[in-house]
Amino acid sequence: AAHPARGRRRGADGHHRLSLILTLAGLFGAAFLAATVIPFASEPVLVGLQLAGLAPVWLLVVVASVGNTLGTLVNYWLGWRLESAGAHRWLRVSEVRFAQAQGWWARWGLWSLLLSWLPLGGVLTVVAGAMRTPLGVFLALVALAKTGRYVVLALVTSVILVMGRDL
């Protein structure tokens, strides 16, 4: 016969695993949504989960970064589709001007993706799609920006926690 305490422990472990999975799925969803053109902020979710201690901080940062980076693909795709449908013509931008804008974006604007973590950074990711930024370059720059933001946020939260304990 199985030992009763072992059965309870397995149940508790299973409950903990399920809780962790749901926590991380919620964070992933919040980060994904926040990266799209839908107005939403994932930072309070990350900080709240970090303060609650429901998962290791490194795991929260990884999940938020992956979710937020993948969420920008919605914007990239939206920009790509809008331009495929002739968005620059709807905006009355001539072919010459649009070609100039593409050249400027390829040389200078591309680096603005490092600011994609800012509140209006979603616009940059839509423009990147419209300008046909190579997907690998897009993902590398956006992942660096998004991950950097979450790392800094987690570090600041940790410092505040430590300082709060010392008061």
Side-chain angles (χ1 to χ4, degrees):
H3 191 276
R6 285 190 186 144
R8 280 195 303 271
R9 180 170 176 220
R10 281 191 198 130
D13 286 348
H15 179 356
H16 176 72
R17 272 193 291 272
L18 178 60
S19 178
L20 178 61
I21 290 168
L22 291 174
T23 295
L24 297 175
L27 176 59
F28 180 91
F32 187 96
L33 185 64
T36 67
V37 293
I38 298 169
F40 190 78
S42 60
E43 295 83 2
V45 177
L46 177 74
V47 170
L49 292 175
Q50 184 177 352
L51 293 175
L54 297 175
V57 175
W58 69 266
L59 186 55
L60 294 174
V61 168
V62 167
V63 169
S65 298
V66 170
N68 208 242
T69 300
L70 291 178
T72 62
L73 289 174
V74 172
N75 298 346
Y76 180 88
W77 175 82
L78 182 62
W80 189 284
R81 295 294 300 158
L82 284 171
E83 185 44 42
S84 293
H88 76 274
R89 287 185 292 281
W90 303 339
L91 299 172
R92 299 185 189 273
V93 176
S94 71
E95 296 295 329
V96 170
R97 284 281 191 207
F98 187 68
Q100 288 172 337
Q102 286 177 311
W104 182 90
W105 176 264
R107 185 165 183 180
W108 306 106
L110 183 68
W111 299 106
S112 69
L113 289 172
L114 292 172
L115 301 174
S116 63
W117 62 273
L118 291 169
L120 294 176
V123 172
L124 297 172
T125 60
V126 172
V127 171
M131 293 296 173
R132 304 299 198 252
T133 302
L135 187 57
V137 172
F138 172 83
L139 286 173
L141 291 171
V142 169
L144 179 63
K146 303 289 190 164
T147 301
R149 181 250 327 261
Y150 286 124
V151 166
V152 168
L153 182 60
L155 286 172
V156 168
T157 303
S158 294
V159 166
I160 291 170
L161 278 173
V162 169
M163 289 173 58
R165 286 187 201 130
D166 292 341
L167 294 177

